[in-house]
Amino acid sequence: MRLSVKIWLFFMIFVCVVFLLMWLFQVVFLERFYESFKIRDTAKVADQLVSAYHTKTDEAFEKSACEMALRNEMCIEILDSDGREVYYDCMYNGKCLLHGAGSGTFFYLMDLQQSDSGVICRRIFNNTLQNEMLVYGCTMVGSDGGVTGYLLLNSPIVPMESTISILKRQTMQITVLLAIFGAVMSLFVARIISTPIVKITHSAKRLAHGDYGTQFESGGYAEADDLAQTLTYAARELSKTDAMQRDLIANVSHDLRTPLTMLKAYAEMIRDLSGNDPVKREQHLNIIIEETDRLSLLVNDMLDLSKLESGTQKLERSVFDITQCVAEIVHRYEGISEQMGYHIHFAPDEPCLVRCDAGKIDRVIGNLINNAINYTSKEDKQVFVAQKNTPQGVRIEVRDTGDGIEEEKIKLIFDQYYRSENHKREVMGTGLGLSIVKAILKLHAYDYGVDSKPGEGSVFWFTIRDVVLKDEEGKNFA
Ligand code: ADP
């Protein structure tokens, strides 16, 4: 259903409800409302008169009773406890129900004395005046609880028929006007709401066809502005992802093609040239093996990264001593250290138990040390690994003394396939090392980062937050 039709429908329902309420209140129940208001007002006047009768002097009471009779258009009759008239004030020259017309005071006094509540309220037709009247009576009670007298009031009930017929006509007219106004308003409101939505839908269709530069126009109200902003942001992000995907395919095919070309070239060389020369053949075969290793490393890294990022790899958490773990990793690098003259120093803190995925954290530290070896200064060939127990958790730092990283590059190095070209690497790198580090640390929700200034080396760090607490005796909980 179109928005304008829906809004029109709502407006029409609203008009019907208003019409119904007005009809009920102003036509059906008007008479009843009027009567109950009249009774309430009369009862209020009766209360005021009774309290004036008990508190004021005769002269003062008569004055205020006369005023009240005039103001409320009422006839007043006050009788003492024996039924003798004490005060009376008639607005109709003795033609009211109490004085002259109808059954008279005596009848209503009897009625009042017989009533259990001490109050009577009667609606009676006055034949003399030819209109309906209200007779209200109440028993006056003194402070000692004894009956001090009786009060009777008589006031006319205004006929409602003509008022009701006027209101009926007015209600009809208002309803027709409301219906017309509602129809115009609903069209107007529908236009205000739907125009931005229509525009945004057009832009979204362009986006669906691959136009990532589409601008979503903001509408005339906050929600449409928010939607337009969100969609513009989504379009920007989509274009980035698209560009990243294209880069990835280009880089992957480039990185796969290079070793494959080498493999083919050296295999042909062995077949055509060096097949009978054992020394050359050995040399060429070694290159083939090296390239195959590089290829399988790349494929493995790509596979691992895609598994980590797609969320198919779950964390296998276990409790282990992080100090021992780092020491073992550093120990693994001793071979390289000795062969190529690198020195990897480890500065441990107090031994500490952590609960995380040991294999993956091992991979993170290994990748960071690999990079540190590759990028540390070729003069002193030093790499510093440190464990620092902090209130936030165990912080692991890997520092090198290399050229450092420029600020704008820091933002890029953790991104897939960002790699500085033309850098001679001591340890084989696929350009995915830091992406894997980032994926693993994000999976653990650990903080990580790089502190680096060009020329001063870099410190890659991360903080393991899941430290296993010690009990009162200082032992670690397993
Ligand atoms: P790779 O080292 O194989 O290029 P990585 O993902 O491990 O791939 O690193 C991405 C990039 O980050 C590197 O190409 C390099 O430019 C930069 N980088 C990483 N570690 C260091 C470091 N310790 N010092 C300076 N630059 C670094």
Side-chain angles (χ1 to χ4, degrees):
M1 199 191 282
R2 287 188 77 85
L3 185 67
S4 48
V5 179
K6 239 180 181 173
I7 294 178
W8 178 79
L9 258 177
F10 280 126
F11 263 102
M12 288 307 112
I13 293 171
F14 174 73
V15 169
C16 289
V17 171
V18 170
F19 172 72
L20 208 76
L21 283 177
M22 277 173 56
W23 192 266
L24 280 179
F25 277 71
Q26 302 207 326
V27 177
V28 182
F29 297 127
L30 187 70
E31 189 111 38
R32 241 172 278 175
F33 283 148
Y34 169 72
E35 197 178 318
S36 71
F37 282 135
K38 183 93 194 168
I39 293 172
R40 223 172 46 204
D41 285 351
T42 313
K44 221 190 292 172
V45 173
D47 278 351
Q48 284 168 357
L49 277 168
V50 170
S51 94
Y53 180 72
H54 283 137
T55 52
K56 290 186 178 171
T57 60
D58 284 354
E59 209 175 312
F61 169 72
E62 272 179 30
K63 196 165 168 251
S64 59
C66 187
E67 252 170 41
M68 266 189 251
L70 213 63
R71 197 171 342 120
N72 298 293
E73 211 184 315
M74 269 175 193
C75 305
I76 302 171
E77 172 90 41
I78 293 186
L79 308 163
D80 67 9
S81 52
D82 298 325
R84 280 191 298 266
E85 190 176 83
V86 180
Y87 172 84
Y88 97 87
D89 190 342
C90 181
M91 303 287 300
Y92 296 98
N93 298 325
K95 287 181 190 144
C96 75
L97 290 171
L98 303 174
H99 309 106
S103 324
T105 311
F106 182 68
F107 171 78
Y108 296 111
L109 179 64
M110 294 276 284
D111 194 3
L112 188 57
Q113 279 169 337
Q114 278 162 13
S115 80
D116 294 334
S117 57
V119 175
I120 56 160
C121 188
R122 306 276 178 257
R123 189 185 169 140
I124 289 158
F125 191 76
N126 186 335
N127 280 323
T128 319
L129 294 173
Q130 283 296 306
N131 68 347
E132 279 210 289
M133 293 198 134
L134 183 79
V135 175
Y136 182 92
C138 66
T139 313
M140 295 192 283
V141 180
S143 51
D144 57 353
V147 174
T148 54
Y150 302 95
L151 170 70
L152 290 169
L153 297 174
N154 177 211
S155 61
I157 290 175
V158 180
M160 285 279 111
E161 280 79 23
S162 60
T163 317
I164 288 176
S165 92
I166 293 172
L167 287 175
K168 249 187 214 169
R169 231 175 302 149
Q170 273 193 351
T171 308
M172 289 291 200
Q173 284 162 354
I174 290 174
T175 310
V176 172
L177 281 177
L178 262 181
I180 297 170
F181 180 69
V184 175
M185 272 297 281
S186 59
L187 279 177
F188 186 63
V189 172
R191 180 151 304 170
I192 288 181
I193 296 176
S194 64
T195 310
I197 296 177
V198 171
K199 277 192 201 156
I200 289 174
T201 311
H202 280 311
S203 305
K205 275 184 189 153
R206 282 208 298 278
L207 175 65
H209 286 111
D211 179 2
Y212 297 114
T214 304
Q215 276 296 323
F216 288 88
E217 269 181 60
S218 8
Y221 49 99
E223 286 81 358
D225 290 350
D226 278 355
L227 181 64
Q229 266 174 20
T230 313
L231 285 171
T232 309
Y233 173 75
R236 230 185 9 245
E237 289 300 302
L238 269 176
S239 85
K240 269 196 225 160
T241 318
D242 196 54
M244 250 165 74
Q245 218 164 22
R246 255 175 301 173
D247 280 0
L248 187 73
I249 292 171
N251 286 327
V252 167
S253 28
H254 171 81
D255 279 15
L256 288 176
R257 206 173 44 214
T258 317
L260 282 174
T261 318
M262 299 268 274
L263 284 178
K264 186 167 182 255
Y266 280 96
E268 279 173 353
M269 264 205 266
I270 294 170
R271 185 191 65 194
D272 301 337
L273 302 170
S274 59
N276 296 326
D277 180 344
V279 182
K280 277 254 166 88
R281 191 179 60 209
E282 176 84 18
Q283 240 179 22
H284 293 163
L285 279 173
N286 278 341
I287 293 176
I288 288 180
I289 291 167
E290 234 175 68
E291 287 304 318
T292 321
D293 282 347
R294 190 190 297 279
L295 206 59
S296 64
L297 194 73
L298 176 64
V299 172
N300 280 340
D301 271 5
M302 272 165 29
L303 213 65
D304 288 348
L305 187 62
S306 92
K307 274 192 215 156
L308 282 167
E309 287 189 336
S310 66
T312 46
Q313 270 208 353
K314 294 274 168 284
L315 292 178
E316 287 167 24
R317 289 178 194 268
S318 60
V319 176
F320 62 94
D321 184 345
I322 186 69
T323 318
Q324 202 184 330
C325 171
V326 180
E328 276 167 19
I329 300 169
V330 171
H331 182 67
R332 273 210 307 267
Y333 278 87
E334 263 166 17
I336 303 178
S337 318
E338 276 169 21
Q339 258 178 30
M340 297 185 274
Y342 285 92
H343 293 284
I344 306 173
H345 309 271
F346 175 40
D349 201 330
E350 288 263 296
C352 187
L353 287 188
V354 293
R355 189 199 301 274
C356 52
D357 190 321
K360 294 197 175 63
I361 292 298
D362 185 310
R363 180 90 185 261
V364 168
I365 299 169
N367 280 3
L368 293 181
I369 295 179
N370 267 356
N371 281 351
I373 293 172
N374 282 335
Y375 296 99
T376 198
S377 151
K378 295 290 169 274
E379 275 97 59
D380 61 5
K381 295 192 170 182
Q382 307 286 338
V383 170
F384 300 90
V385 182
Q387 172 206 350
K388 291 177 181 170
N389 296 351
T390 68
Q392 288 79 39
V394 182
R395 182 177 161 112
I396 305 291
E397 293 181 354
V398 180
R399 181 163 71 86
D400 62 62
T401 56
D403 296 335
I405 311 166
E406 291 137 38
E407 198 158 339
E408 59 270 21
K409 268 196 186 173
I410 287 185
K411 289 186 211 109
L412 304 173
I413 56 171
F414 283 100
D415 284 337
Q416 258 176 35
Y417 260 112
Y418 176 82
R419 62 193 307 198
S420 51
E421 294 303 334
N422 312 323
H423 180 87
K424 192 185 167 309
R425 292 172 175 82
E426 298 287 1
V427 189
M428 220 183 273
T430 58
L432 293 176
L434 286 183
S435 307
I436 291 173
V437 167
K438 175 180 165 184
I440 292 176
L441 294 177
K442 269 180 99 175
L443 214 59
H444 279 88
Y446 291 163
D447 288 339
Y448 63 91
V450 195
D451 301 327
S452 179
K453 272 193 199 140
E456 288 177 23
S458 335
V459 182
F460 282 76
W461 61 266
F462 66 95
T463 309
I464 302 176
R465 275 194 287 149
D466 305 303
V467 176
V468 180
L469 293 174
K470 290 180 175 177
D471 64 14
E472 279 161 10
E473 288 156 22
K475 288 190 205 127
N476 286 312
F477 286 117

